[in-house]
Amino acid sequence: MRVVIAEDNALLREGLVLLLTSAGHEVAGVATTGPEILPLLLEHRPDVAVLDVRLPPGFRDEGLRAALAARAELPGLPVLVLSQYVEETYAAELLGGGARGVGYLLKDRVGRVDEFLDALERVAAGGTALDPEVVTELMARRRDDPLDSLTPRERECLELMAQGHDNATIARTMVVTERSVHKHVGNVFAKLELPPSDSGHRRVLAVLAYLNA
């Protein structure tokens, strides 16, 4: 898998390069500022981009803006965004453009090597990967929204879907059968009035409904 990295912190940047190469991936390019990102992505067209949200020169949202611009130029480009803190606006804006092949992780998650690599591979394959802390905070801030009709177990199922897990993993986490998970997922689709289509796309729509309610 070919990866482009954008990170201004030298220690974390070199750590990411070492981690990815050790796992058998190729680091096609590295950026340290916001303006470098889009040209680098257009040049290398990687399988996935790993971008810090805040980069020089402004340390505001350069990485996010570059991610949005890159996905406009390269539709479907998988992007995994890293952030020091839970920044709701950034997460919602990135996912609001379509949740296929996007991830939002806190930087602490990089230290959990297996979890980070698993999330990266899910995003590269077109899935989603949201940090559990991001999901928890977003759900805590939602009040009086269309998700209020969901039962606690259905909300838990949707939360795990937002993290990018498949039904088998959700079943293990919730300690229920896959059949029960399938029922919960079906109830989520029905209560959110999602159109009949392929289940993969409806899962994406469910995550977006939960983020943008």
Side-chain angles (χ1 to χ4, degrees):
M1 185 163 61
R2 298 175 66 253
V3 186
V4 162
I5 297 171
E7 172 58 59
D8 66 301
N9 182 291
L11 185 61
L12 179 55
R13 184 174 64 248
E14 294 306 314
L16 283 169
V17 171
L18 179 60
L19 172 60
L20 292 172
T21 54
S22 297
H25 303 305
E26 175 191 348
V27 177
V30 176
T32 58
T33 69
E36 297 173 21
I37 298 174
L38 184 57
L40 197 64
L41 291 174
L42 293 175
E43 176 186 354
H44 294 286
R45 296 176 180 262
D47 298 308
V48 61
V50 179
L51 311 176
D52 187 3
V53 167
R54 297 184 176 184
L55 291 165
F59 293 99
R60 291 188 296 273
D61 57 2
E62 289 81 0
L64 174 74
R65 295 301 166 196
L68 295 172
R71 284 172 68 86
E73 293 280 347
L74 303 170
L77 172 69
V79 174
L80 177 60
V81 172
L82 302 178
S83 179
Q84 191 70 42
Y85 309 103
V86 178
E87 298 174 278
E88 178 183 353
T89 301
Y90 295 155
E93 186 168 358
L94 179 65
L95 287 156
R100 292 184 185 273
V102 295
Y104 187 105
L105 296 182
L106 296 183
K107 289 186 175 181
D108 289 348
R109 196 68 51 184
V110 177
R112 304 173 190 180
V113 174
D114 290 341
E115 290 184 32
F116 173 73
L117 292 175
D118 178 64
L120 184 68
E121 289 170 6
R122 286 206 309 272
V123 170
T128 58
L130 295 184
D131 193 289
E133 291 186 36
V134 174
V135 173
T136 298
E137 183 151 337
L138 288 173
M139 290 193 78
R141 295 179 183 180
R142 300 305 187 198
R143 295 292 184 270
D144 301 321
D145 62 51
L147 304 180
D148 289 342
S149 63
L150 302 182
T151 67
R153 293 297 265 176
E154 290 164 357
R155 289 178 71 88
E156 182 181 1
C157 184
L158 177 55
E159 178 178 349
L160 292 166
M161 285 168 57
Q163 292 175 28
H165 298 303
D166 58 19
N167 283 5
T169 303
I170 294 173
R172 289 194 299 271
T173 303
M174 296 178 65
V175 194
V176 297
T177 64
E178 286 192 51
R179 183 175 180 179
S180 294
V181 171
H182 183 75
K183 181 179 179 181
H184 289 320
V185 171
N187 289 340
V188 169
F189 290 161
K191 290 181 179 181
L192 296 183
E193 299 182 348
L194 296 178
S197 61
D198 68 279
S199 61
H201 181 55
R202 286 206 290 174
R203 290 173 84 95
V204 170
L205 293 176
V207 170
L208 289 175
Y210 141 62
L211 285 172
N212 296 317

